[in-house]
Amino acid sequence: MSESHLDQNVLASLLDVMGAEYPVLLDTFLIDSEERLRCLHEALTAADAQALRLAAHSFKGSCSNMGAPLLARLCKDLEEDARRERLDDAPGLVEQIEREFAIVRILLKSERQRYR
């Protein structure tokens, strides 16, 4: 796997822009991501391709903004499948998204500890 879980250049830019609010940004992303995962699960359970597409699209954007390229790519894959209403692979993709988010969460919590 050539991509890293977090793009340190993006995090450095966010720190530069956000300054003292950077830790709040990290916390907000983590809390918001939990809600986005819940929405993915709800849409998957309901087999609602449109809701799944929208939830994946939204999560993809926030992951991209926060420098989580692998997570963003997985969300993009899910979004594209849902757009085509091909939900056969959706459970596996949601599981991959959850696993990647678990890694990103650990890394961002570690990053957060640097700014207590």
Side-chain angles (χ1 to χ4, degrees), residues 5 11 16-18 21 28 33-34 44 62 71 80 93:
H5 299 285
L11 292 179
D16 198 40
V17 169
M18 297 298 294
E21 294 299 310
T28 302
S33 295
E34 296 288 346
L44 186 59
S62 65
L71 193 52
E80 289 173 0
L93 278 169

Side-chain angles (χ1 to χ4, degrees), residues 36-47:
R36 292 176 193 275
L37 281 172
R38 188 189 63 71
C39 290
L40 289 177
H41 278 283
E42 280 184 4
L44 186 59
T45 299

Side-chain angles (χ1 to χ4, degrees), residues 5 9 12 14 20 24 42 52 74 76 89 108 111 115:
H5 299 285
N9 292 326
L14 290 171
V24 175
E42 280 184 4
L52 192 59
L74 289 167
K76 181 181 180 203
D89 294 335
L108 287 180
E111 173 77 3
Y115 300 96

Side-chain angles (χ1 to χ4, degrees), residues 55-112:
H57 176 79
S58 179
F59 199 11
K60 175 189 74 177
S62 65
C63 294
S64 294
N65 292 338
M66 290 300 295
L70 291 175
L71 193 52
R73 183 182 50 79
L74 289 167
C75 290
K76 181 181 180 203
D77 292 347
L78 181 61
E79 176 188 10
E80 289 173 0
D81 281 357
R83 177 177 285 117
R84 293 181 183 99
E85 296 191 8
R86 292 192 327 225
L87 300 184
D88 291 345
D89 294 335
L93 278 169
V94 171
E95 186 177 310
Q96 286 180 297
I97 288 167
E98 285 183 314
R99 283 195 310 263
E100 180 60 21
F101 177 66
I103 294 167
V104 167
R105 179 180 349 170
I106 289 167
L107 295 172
L108 287 180
K109 284 186 174 189
S110 176
E111 173 77 3
R112 175 69 172 86

